[in-house]
Each structure stands twice: as structure tokens, then as C-alpha cells.
Amino acid sequence: MAQILALVEARLRSALGEPDARAAVTFLGTDRIEVLRFSEGDLVRYATLGMSAHPMTDPTAVVADPLRGPRAELVLTVRAGLAPTDKLLRPLAVLGAAPQVEGLVVAPGASLDVGEPLWDGAPFTSVLVAEPGGLVEDLELDEPMDPVHFLPLLPMTANEAAWKRVHGAAALQERWLSHGTDLRDPLRTAVPLD
């Protein structure tokens, strides 16, 4: 586990630079989840470290395979200095611990909800999990282990999350794109949904 996390952290550093802050949260009965903060110009990126230590397992599986299964870390990017986004360290750690706590398999297209604003005054309580492979390349691990995917998180307002449940992730992403929505703006309002 420690070797995998060392490789994951090295991949994050090679893609995002040196972290300028890190925080750790341990939930009862789970391994520690760290959140690293990377600042680059007017952007701040937050990445989990620890979620990929174990493969995510289907909660209906009788026995969890200790080697095979999807592995991931979460990455969220926002514009710096517009909102107190460092408050999202704990909600992001909660999302990173969800596979261990809830037996959740986090995959692109999924919605994750923390039940409270991601940071003080945020209009977002949930995120849409986007496709990996853009900002941070997948990390290949030795066979038979699956690669670690670095999944971008896109904050959603409550209305956007409800609309996504009806119309799907692809439709919401298309709506964001067609309206030129700046998904990194921590103060943005919901995209028009009518």
C-alpha cells in the first residue's frame, strides 16, 4: 500500500508540481486520506492521496479482491482567491474515503454528494466525476493490479445535480460547454437548465 501511494504522489508531483499544503483525515475504520494542494498561477488544485491504496470493490461482491479492481484518486481545480476553497479539504477527504466507508465504486459520470457546501458559502454540495487522462495521466501498476485513474471533479449546484439525474452526465457536460460555463469559478451560478 505504501509503495502504491508513493508512486501516486510522484505522479501527482510530476504533473502538478510541488504541493504547497497537505492535510490528512482518518475516519473510523478506514485508512488515512490525505488532500494535497497545488497552486499554479491563478489556479488551485486539490488532489486526494490514499483512495487508490486499495481497489474499489462492488458492494455486492461476496469477497473483496485485494489486488484487482478499479483504483482512483480525485482532483478538483478552482480559481484561486475568489472563495475560501481550502475549506473543501475535509469534504474532499470524505469523498476519497467513500469507497472504504460505503463500498462505493467511483467512476466517470457518477455524482458524489457531501450533503453540505464544499466550502463556506459555496453553491455546490456535490460533484460530477469526469473522465480521467487529461490533467494527470493514469498510473500503470504491476499486474494484476488495475491502473490508478486521476478523476477530475466538477462542482455541481443542487439544480444541476437534479437535472443530471434525469438527463445524464453527458447532457449536463454538453450544456456547460454550450453555455461556456467556467467550471473552475468557485462563485459561478447554475447553468440555464430550461
Side-chain angles (χ1 to χ4, degrees):
M1 177 178 99
Q3 180 184 6
I4 291 171
L5 294 184
L7 293 170
V8 168
E9 184 167 355
R11 177 57 54 92
L12 286 167
R13 287 172 183 265
S14 70
L16 305 176
E18 287 298 311
D20 59 5
R22 65 193 310 146
V25 178
T26 304
F27 301 97
L28 186 63
T30 68
D31 294 327
R32 183 169 84 167
I33 300 290
E34 289 188 79
V35 178
L36 283 60
R37 183 182 72 192
F38 301 86
S39 299
E40 178 188 342
D42 72 335
L43 297 178
V44 180
R45 302 183 198 285
Y46 300 91
T48 61
L49 178 63
M51 185 175 161
S52 62
H54 305 286
M56 293 181 275
T57 305
D58 182 338
T60 62
V62 177
V63 178
D65 189 321
L67 297 176
R68 292 178 186 84
R71 294 175 189 261
E73 296 291 352
L74 308 174
V75 181
L76 193 147
T77 303
V78 292
R79 297 211 178 280
L82 301 176
T85 56
D86 279 351
K87 301 286 185 173
L88 71 76
L89 296 174
R90 182 168 174 72
L92 198 53
V94 167
L95 296 178
Q100 291 181 63
V101 174
E102 300 173 27
L104 185 67
V105 176
V106 178
S111 298
L112 304 174
D113 196 317
V114 294
E116 61 186 38
L118 292 176
W119 55 84
D120 293 343
F124 318 107
T125 62
S126 62
V127 293
L128 174 65
V129 181
E131 292 290 333
L135 186 62
V136 184
E137 288 183 33
D138 293 347
L139 174 64
E140 297 294 331
L141 299 175
D142 294 336
E143 291 290 335
M145 293 185 283
D146 289 17
V148 176
H149 298 295
F150 296 88
L151 301 171
L153 300 180
L154 309 174
M156 293 188 294
T157 66
N159 287 343
E160 290 170 336
W163 196 87
K164 181 254 176 195
R165 281 192 292 277
V166 174
H167 300 281
L172 178 58
Q173 288 178 303
E174 179 57 39
R175 188 159 287 261
W176 281 334
L177 188 61
S178 68
H179 284 82
T181 305
D182 181 0
L183 297 173
R184 296 174 174 171
D185 180 355
L187 302 175
R188 76 172 182 85
T189 56
V191 70
L193 299 170
D194 47 4

